[in-house]
Amino acid sequence: MPKVLVVDDDIKLLKMLKRTLVFENLDVLTATNGREALEVVQQEAPDLLIVDWMMPEMDGLELIQHLRDANNRMPILMLTARDAVENRVFGLESGADDYLVKPFAPAELVARVHALLRRVEPKADDQEVQYNDVRLDPKQHEAWRGDRKLSLTVTEFNLLYYFLRHPRQVLERNQILMEVWGYDFGGDSNVLEIYISYLRKKLEAENEPRLIQTVRGIGYMLREE
């Protein structure tokens, strides 16, 4: 049974989220601030984190940054009332994998939770894939460019894996969102562009040639320049 940690200082909302997720046959842990959540993460090793942005003692952004600095790659869903695009971008840049604006429908929360959990499900038939000097081992959750090992979040890893399984193919934006995120974010979100930028920075950290190319008006392609 997947283990989910929900962190929010709104006790009423926290209880509602727990009821909703327990109904989905998930093992739900709770915390009311970032410091308490860190203790739960260390003790229980949850499979997924759902965290509110604004909290006392240690807010959601600080918690996420602490976990990512510690190389914790579990998927993270951020909850917030801040719906401006710049806030969404900032949250994702801080290390969250997805972003849900309050108020939200419980069904949408459930869909996003299941989509995030699917990204970390082990697949016994996954084989190592490679294109050019980039290779990825899905079983070990490791990726390299040449001899340089890449440090990737769950979302970055799955996005790169999708590209490596479809080299030299034009991949439409919505197609990538459906395959990697598990659902369509809609046209007002630039989450894909943000993660393409993350991947490029990591793949090109030592001035290597660009491999993820933009296909204007359509999407992206993995190929040599």
Side-chain angles (χ1 to χ4, degrees):
M1 181 183 294
K3 192 179 296 184
V4 179
L5 171 60
V6 184
V7 189
D8 201 310
D9 61 326
D10 183 334
I11 302 301
K12 184 177 180 180
L13 178 60
L14 194 64
K15 290 180 178 179
M16 183 277 286
L17 293 173
K18 182 173 182 177
R19 286 196 304 270
T20 300
L21 296 172
V22 166
F23 187 76
E24 295 294 316
N25 295 317
L26 297 171
D27 184 5
V28 182
L29 309 167
T30 61
T32 57
N33 61 66
R35 296 194 185 282
E36 183 182 342
L38 280 179
E39 296 180 5
V40 177
V41 169
Q42 292 169 357
Q43 295 170 5
E44 301 290 342
D47 301 294
L48 171 70
L49 173 66
I50 301 173
V51 58
D52 185 40
W53 184 327
M54 301 300 296
M55 295 185 297
E57 295 190 47
M58 178 188 289
D59 66 20
L61 287 181
E62 292 176 285
L63 172 60
I64 292 170
Q65 290 168 346
H66 187 95
L67 292 171
R68 295 311 190 212
D69 288 345
N71 203 31
N72 188 312
R73 295 192 297 261
M74 72 171 161
I76 298 174
L77 173 61
M78 174 174 281
L79 306 178
T80 181
R82 299 181 176 186
D83 60 354
V85 172
E86 56 268 26
N87 289 326
R88 187 175 308 186
V89 171
F90 187 64
L92 294 170
E93 286 181 339
S94 299
D97 294 282
D98 198 359
Y99 188 105
L100 191 56
V101 177
K102 300 177 182 179
F104 51 81
E108 183 176 9
L109 172 77
V110 168
R112 299 204 181 196
V113 165
H114 284 306
L116 286 169
L117 287 172
R118 279 195 296 272
R119 297 187 214 173
V120 293
E121 289 177 353
K123 298 178 179 60
D125 59 345
D126 283 348
Q127 301 296 316
E128 184 174 306
V129 288
Q130 181 168 353
Y131 176 75
N132 198 283
D133 60 346
V134 178
R135 58 191 176 95
L136 180 150
D137 185 343
K139 291 181 180 178
Q140 300 299 320
H141 204 281
E142 295 178 337
W144 300 264
R145 178 144 200 189
D147 296 327
R148 179 167 59 86
K149 189 173 182 180
L150 304 173
S151 178
L152 304 175
T153 66
V154 171
T155 300
E156 292 165 351
F157 186 90
N158 285 313
L159 182 57
L160 179 59
Y161 185 35
Y162 186 61
F163 276 117
L164 288 170
R165 288 180 7 241
H166 301 87
R168 303 188 189 89
Q169 297 179 33
V170 177
L171 303 174
E172 295 184 2
R173 184 180 185 278
N174 287 340
Q175 176 185 357
I176 299 172
L177 287 170
M178 287 295 293
E179 291 294 333
V180 177
W181 276 263
Y183 57 93
D184 191 345
F185 274 79
D188 64 338
S189 172
N190 61 354
V191 66
L192 177 57
E193 287 74 13
I194 293 169
Y195 275 99
I196 292 293
S197 174
Y198 292 166
L199 262 184
R200 283 173 170 165
K201 287 178 182 178
K202 293 184 178 182
L203 289 170
E204 303 163 18
E206 296 185 0
N207 297 315
E208 296 95 337
R210 174 157 295 180
L211 291 178
I212 300 178
Q213 314 296 340
T214 300
V215 182
R216 287 191 182 278
I218 301 177
Y220 299 91
M221 176 189 291
L222 182 70
R223 63 170 173 79
E224 299 173 71
E225 288 185 303

